[in-house]
């Protein structure tokens, strides 16, 4: 088993009706084989969609990384009559290769085609995932012919929507799986998972709505199967991942922000989900935060945003943006956590002495790989996905000695690793801060206000070259596009922090005007897939 090419277990999302469960049971890959040919380049639905062919996550993993499915003679690995496929080399296979994609077919028994047509509780699916992981471990260990011990086996879990809750229930609730299976999980990637439940019309799905297990997305019910009842009482949320369950730095949350193209229930879903959603799941509910052993907030999972819907032709799973984040998270070389550290926000001169000025600052980001037509992360005000802070929050946080705003995490991969000519990893960050609507005494202050204006807007070009050997120095270059277009030309120093991570601070080129903002872009960079 060659690191980092571990088995991938795909866990699909919620199927509400018997017909949907039948459709899922009839699909060999439960939707992971679906691609797309269109994408929305901007939030203006009146403009035609653009053509962009994405072949599907399954096909791309096969073509680019040599992954294959585990079906043989019409059977999957849970069927008692399943046997390993014949090797092309003539040597008999004893199990399955580590570079396998395994589909968790948990809706088969709930379909009327292969089962009784009845939906099960999510706890049942969590326990089934645990058993599947141990089965995959058994077969990979067998294929390695003694070169791999069972305790050394690792796998990835990739989940869409409710599938992410199945994964979390298995990990967080000791009653819903075995410790051996939990220890085998190396990384988790979730697409559009309602980690904090589903809200409709501003209210959480009610606990009494047991029809087709819809109350799976009720926070009180989630607290039960996620083993978070105490945390729910304290925080009123269930998007927390205790440190004892799984390390927060090993999970990635892909968040969709396009509600307009989600046409489920003739558009009723997006209407009830409202703005700031993918048509079903709220942006604020689609990621997780970490809890330490004392139930204190310890950090955020890696998160990226894309202008995609929950599912469908504009869906998040069948998109180039999500696939690039998935493959770089699983197999990439460098991790970069992106933050803005705000040093000062200045009000307009006419109101800087006014008491109780209210304002909401919107921090936007577009993370762009070099030479591509897609973004690794995309957060804009028009798409209801910026990071928001009030004037009071920024002022109070500065008084407490810290003013960090998390933007996203990107993973970078040098696919031409054999090259000794260019080892650099480069990307651009379009960073902007929108001018807020100022409110004084609960009245909108219209002077000096132009809708859509910015306190700050520029593009930061970053070039990173990892050290050639352990303990060596990184080479970091940068430029602001307002000063130099198209290439990072200025060297940057960095600070070494714990765990081999480096901290890079890039001052924002701002003037001391009023209104205005001062601060720096903070990059926390570390080698990835490196012990």
């Amino acid at each position: 088993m060659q690191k980092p090419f571990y088995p991938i277990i795909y866990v699909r999302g919620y199927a509400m009706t018997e017909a949907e469960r039948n459709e899922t049971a009839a699909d060999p890959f439960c939707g992971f084989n679906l691609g797309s040919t269109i994408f929305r380049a901007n939030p203006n639905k009146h403009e035609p969609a653009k053509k962009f062919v994405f072949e599907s996550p399954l096909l791309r993993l096969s073509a680019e990384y040599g992954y294959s499915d585990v079906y043989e003679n019409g059977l999957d690995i849970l069927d008692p009559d399943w046997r390993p496929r014949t090797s092309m080399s003539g040597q008999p296979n004893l199990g399955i290769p580590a570079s396998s994609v395994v589909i968790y077919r948990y809706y088969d028994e709930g379909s009327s085609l292969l089962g009784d047509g009845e939906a099960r509780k999510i706890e049942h699916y969590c326990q089934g995932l645990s058993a599947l992981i141990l089965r995959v471990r058994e077969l990979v260990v067998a294929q390695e012919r003694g070169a791999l011990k069972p305790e050394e086996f690792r796998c990835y879990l990739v989940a869409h929507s409710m599938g992410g809750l199945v994964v979390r229930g298995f990990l967080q609730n000791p009653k819903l799986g075995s410790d051996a299976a939990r220890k085998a999980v190396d990384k988790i990637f979730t697409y559009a998972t309602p980690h904090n439940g589903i809200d409709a019309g501003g209210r959480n799905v009610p606990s009494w709505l047991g029809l087709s297990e819809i109350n799976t997305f009720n926070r009180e019910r989630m607290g039960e199967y996620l083993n978070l009842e105490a945390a729910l009482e304290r925080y009123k949320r269930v998007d927390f991942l205790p440190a004892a369950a799984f390390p927060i730095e090993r999970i990635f949350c892909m968040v969709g922000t396009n509600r307009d193209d989600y046409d489920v229930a003739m558009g009723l879903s997006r209407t009830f989900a409202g703005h700031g959603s993918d048509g079903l799941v709220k942006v604020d509910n689609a990621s997780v935060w970490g809890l330490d052993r004392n139930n204190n907030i310890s950090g955020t999972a890696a998160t990226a945003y894309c202008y995609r819907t929950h599912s469908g032709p504009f869906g998040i799973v069948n998109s180039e943006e999500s696939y690039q984040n998935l493959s770089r998270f699983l197999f990439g070389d460098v991790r970069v956590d992106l933050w803005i550290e705000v040093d000062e926000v200045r009000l307009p001169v006419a109101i800087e002495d006014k008491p109780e000025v209210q304002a909401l600052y919107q921090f936007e980001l577009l993370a762009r790989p070099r030479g591509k037509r897609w973004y690794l992360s995309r957060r804009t005000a028009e798409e209801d996905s910026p990071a928001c802070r009030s004037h009071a929050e920024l002022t109070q946080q500065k008084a407490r000695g810290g003013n960090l705003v998390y933007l996203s995490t990107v993973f970078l991969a040098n696919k031409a690793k054999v090259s000794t000519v260019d080892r650099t990893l480069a990307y651009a960050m379009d960073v902007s801060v929108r001018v807020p609507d100022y409110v004084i005494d609960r009245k909108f202050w219209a002077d000096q206000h132009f809708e859509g204006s910015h306190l700050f807007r520029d593009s930061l070009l970053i070039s990173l070259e990892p050290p050639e050997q352990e303990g060596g120095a990184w080479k970091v270059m940068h430029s602001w596009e307002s000063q130099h277009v198209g290439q990072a030309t200025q060297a940057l120093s960095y600070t070494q922090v714990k765990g081999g991570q480096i901290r890079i601070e890039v001052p924002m080129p701002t003037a001391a005007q009023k209104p205005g903002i001062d601060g720096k872009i903070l990059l926390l960079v570390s080698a990835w897939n490196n012990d």
Side-chain angles (χ1 to χ4, degrees):
M1 188 163 66
Q2 182 182 357
K3 181 181 180 179
F5 302 105
Y6 300 151
I8 296 171
I9 299 176
Y10 175 65
V11 190
R12 68 148 289 143
Y14 175 63
M16 183 174 71
T17 66
E18 181 180 321
E20 290 172 345
R21 293 192 292 275
N22 285 345
E23 182 180 1
T24 300
D27 183 344
F29 302 103
C30 296
F32 204 50
N33 53 315
L34 297 179
S36 65
T37 59
I38 55 176
F39 80 107
R40 187 74 68 188
N42 59 61
N44 185 356
K45 194 174 181 180
H46 298 292
E47 291 188 10
K50 304 293 184 181
K51 182 177 181 180
F52 187 101
V53 177
F54 171 68
E55 303 94 319
S56 83
L58 185 69
L59 187 58
R60 290 287 287 276
L61 286 168
S62 174
E64 296 180 7
Y65 298 99
Y67 274 77
S68 60
D69 65 71
V70 295
Y71 297 126
E72 180 67 12
N73 291 323
L75 302 173
D76 69 21
I77 59 174
L78 294 181
D79 287 303
D81 296 328
W82 179 91
R83 297 291 182 271
R85 65 182 58 175
T86 304
S87 170
M88 294 182 64
S89 66
Q91 185 179 30
N93 287 330
L94 302 179
I96 61 175
S99 54
S100 294
V101 174
V102 179
I103 306 300
Y104 179 26
R105 301 183 56 82
Y106 63 90
Y107 274 133
D108 281 4
E109 61 182 337
S111 73
S112 58
L113 299 176
L114 299 174
D116 58 15
E118 299 295 327
R120 270 69 171 172
K121 293 186 180 299
I122 192 172
E123 287 90 340
H124 180 75
Y125 304 142
C126 297
Q127 292 166 336
L129 176 60
S130 178
L132 178 61
I133 291 172
L134 295 181
R135 174 61 171 157
V136 174
R137 184 183 73 168
E138 172 193 349
L139 293 173
V140 172
V141 169
Q143 182 66 12
E144 294 291 320
R145 302 172 186 272
L148 179 71
K149 298 177 181 178
E151 60 269 22
E152 296 171 337
F153 168 81
R154 296 292 182 270
C155 66
Y156 302 133
L157 302 181
V158 177
H160 175 230
S161 192
M162 190 191 80
L165 301 181
V166 173
V167 169
R168 286 182 60 204
F170 149 69
L171 287 172
Q172 295 178 214
N173 193 330
K175 300 177 182 178
L176 302 182
S178 75
D179 287 339
R182 280 186 278 269
K183 290 176 181 177
V185 179
D186 187 81
K187 299 189 188 97
I188 298 167
F189 187 99
T190 67
Y191 302 91
T193 290
H195 288 292
N196 191 47
I198 289 179
D199 297 329
R203 294 179 179 273
N204 187 213
V205 169
S207 59
W208 51 262
L209 194 55
L211 178 66
S212 298
E213 302 300 325
I214 295 176
N215 61 0
T216 297
F217 310 105
N218 170 266
R219 281 186 272 277
E220 291 184 4
R221 173 80 176 96
M222 293 173 69
E224 295 175 4
Y225 64 78
L226 293 177
N227 195 30
L228 284 179
E229 291 170 301
L232 174 61
E233 184 176 350
R234 179 177 181 180
Y235 298 105
K236 312 304 179 187
R237 301 180 67 90
V238 288
D239 49 357
F240 293 107
L241 187 68
F246 195 77
I248 194 69
E249 65 272 11
R250 308 292 290 180
I251 184 169
F252 191 109
C253 300
M254 196 76 209
V255 181
T257 63
N258 178 2
R259 65 183 285 271
D260 289 334
D261 287 307
Y262 191 61
D263 292 329
V264 168
M266 296 181 291
L268 285 176
S269 174
R270 64 170 179 257
T271 300
F272 283 108
H275 290 282
S277 74
D278 62 7
L280 180 64
V281 178
K282 286 284 191 183
V283 169
D284 290 342
N285 289 341
S287 57
V288 294
W289 289 79
L291 290 176
D292 63 21
R293 296 182 185 277
N294 297 317
N295 277 346
N296 295 315
I297 294 176
S298 61
T300 179
T303 306
Y305 302 78
C306 63
Y307 191 59
R308 290 284 177 167
T309 67
H310 190 78
S311 60
F314 292 92
I316 191 169
V317 176
N318 52 319
S319 70
E320 184 75 28
E321 304 96 306
S322 295
Y323 172 76
Q324 289 294 335
N325 279 286
L326 170 67
S327 61
R328 291 160 188 255
F329 173 64
L330 296 184
F331 315 124
D333 306 300
V334 173
R335 171 180 178 143
V336 186
D337 296 297
L338 310 176
W339 301 73
I340 285 183
E341 186 170 8
V342 179
D343 295 329
E344 183 181 18
V345 286
R346 294 179 295 275
L347 296 170
V349 174
I351 62 172
E352 61 182 347
D353 295 326
K354 297 284 186 180
E356 298 185 7
V357 175
Q358 295 178 329
L360 187 70
Y361 298 87
Q362 300 178 83
F363 298 85
E364 301 176 314
L365 168 75
L366 297 174
R368 300 179 282 133
R370 183 168 46 193
K372 304 299 182 183
R373 293 175 58 199
W374 39 264
Y375 299 104
L376 283 171
S377 192
R378 171 169 162 164
R379 307 189 67 176
T380 69
E382 289 85 357
E383 297 164 16
D384 300 320
S385 57
C388 297
R389 294 292 186 277
S390 69
H391 188 78
E393 286 175 327
L394 292 178
T395 303
Q396 292 165 5
Q397 289 174 3
K398 180 175 176 58
R400 292 195 295 265
N403 227 345
L404 290 171
V405 179
Y406 174 72
L407 295 178
S408 281
T409 298
V410 298
F411 291 85
L412 307 175
N414 190 344
K415 295 186 178 180
K417 293 181 182 179
V418 296
S419 171
T420 58
V421 178
D422 186 4
R423 299 179 59 254
T424 61
L425 299 163
Y427 69 101
M429 297 171 55
D430 297 349
V431 183
S432 58
V433 184
R434 293 285 184 123
V435 175
D437 293 341
Y438 298 105
V439 175
I440 303 172
D441 295 331
R442 300 184 180 181
K443 296 179 180 179
F444 170 60
W445 185 70
D447 293 354
Q448 302 177 31
H449 176 84
F450 296 90
E451 189 66 28
S453 298
H454 295 80
L455 291 179
F456 174 81
R457 181 168 53 179
D458 208 337
S459 295
L460 175 62
L461 305 180
I462 290 288
S463 173
L464 301 167
E465 184 175 323
E468 294 190 26
Q469 56 188 7
E470 187 177 352
W474 290 72
K475 183 178 179 181
V476 184
M477 306 291 288
H478 87 292
S479 286
W480 287 99
E481 281 199 337
S482 61
Q483 301 168 351
H484 194 284
V485 176
Q487 187 176 5
T489 59
Q490 303 174 47
L492 268 174
S493 60
Y494 60 82
T495 304
Q496 195 85 34
V497 294
K498 65 178 181 179
Q501 193 177 58
I502 64 172
R503 176 188 174 105
I504 303 168
E505 296 182 359
V506 188
M508 296 162 60
T510 55
Q513 72 247 12
K514 296 181 180 180
I517 186 169
D518 287 333
K520 57 185 74 73
I521 305 300
L522 173 62
L523 310 176
L524 297 178
V525 182
S526 56
W528 190 242
N529 286 317
N530 184 316
D531 292 336

